Amino acid sequence: MTNDDDHHAGNAAEGREGKAERDAAAKAVLDNMARLRALRLAREAAMPQAATSSKAKRAKTTTSTAKRGTKKTEDDKPRPLSEWLADQQSSGHRT
């Protein structure tokens, strides 16, 4: 065996060890993700009302009507632009 053959044999052994380490690290990450997912699902199953209400509350605050601070019902119709402009002029706003 020459020095080159020894060198290639050493690289192959190191490559196998490195692959084994990468595989072990990837498996550890996947196992941890699975464990955390199981914990999250168990927590959500234990408190279904709280999870639903907090999601609904978050969705409600992200709507455009909640940002403006006005409360609209489904029966409310948008008012015409002419009314809005008249309202703006009568309240002293410049248009």
Side-chain angles (χ1 to χ4, degrees):
M1 231 180 192
T2 65
N3 283 339
D4 285 340
D5 292 337
D6 291 337
H7 181 69
H8 290 296
N11 284 342
E14 289 175 10
R16 283 190 298 270
E17 291 173 7
K19 183 179 180 330
E21 289 176 10
R22 285 190 306 272
D23 290 345
K27 184 181 181 326
V29 168
L30 291 174
D31 289 345
N32 192 35
M33 286 173 47
R35 180 183 63 85
L36 291 172
R37 182 180 300 119
L39 288 171
R40 178 180 51 84
L41 292 174
R43 183 184 68 228
E44 288 175 357
M47 300 184 302
Q49 292 86 13
T52 305
S53 65
S54 67
K55 286 181 184 177
K57 199 179 291 183
R58 252 183 293 161
K60 186 176 182 181
T61 59
T62 59
T63 62
S64 60
T65 57
K67 288 180 183 177
R68 286 192 308 244
T70 60
K71 292 184 180 180
K72 287 190 172 186
T73 62
E74 292 177 8
D75 297 333
D76 287 345
K77 293 181 181 176
R79 66 184 194 182
L81 178 61
S82 58
E83 286 183 18
W84 182 83
L85 287 172
D87 211 22
Q88 292 295 307
Q89 286 179 344
S90 66
S91 65
H93 288 81
R94 291 176 44 185
T95 55

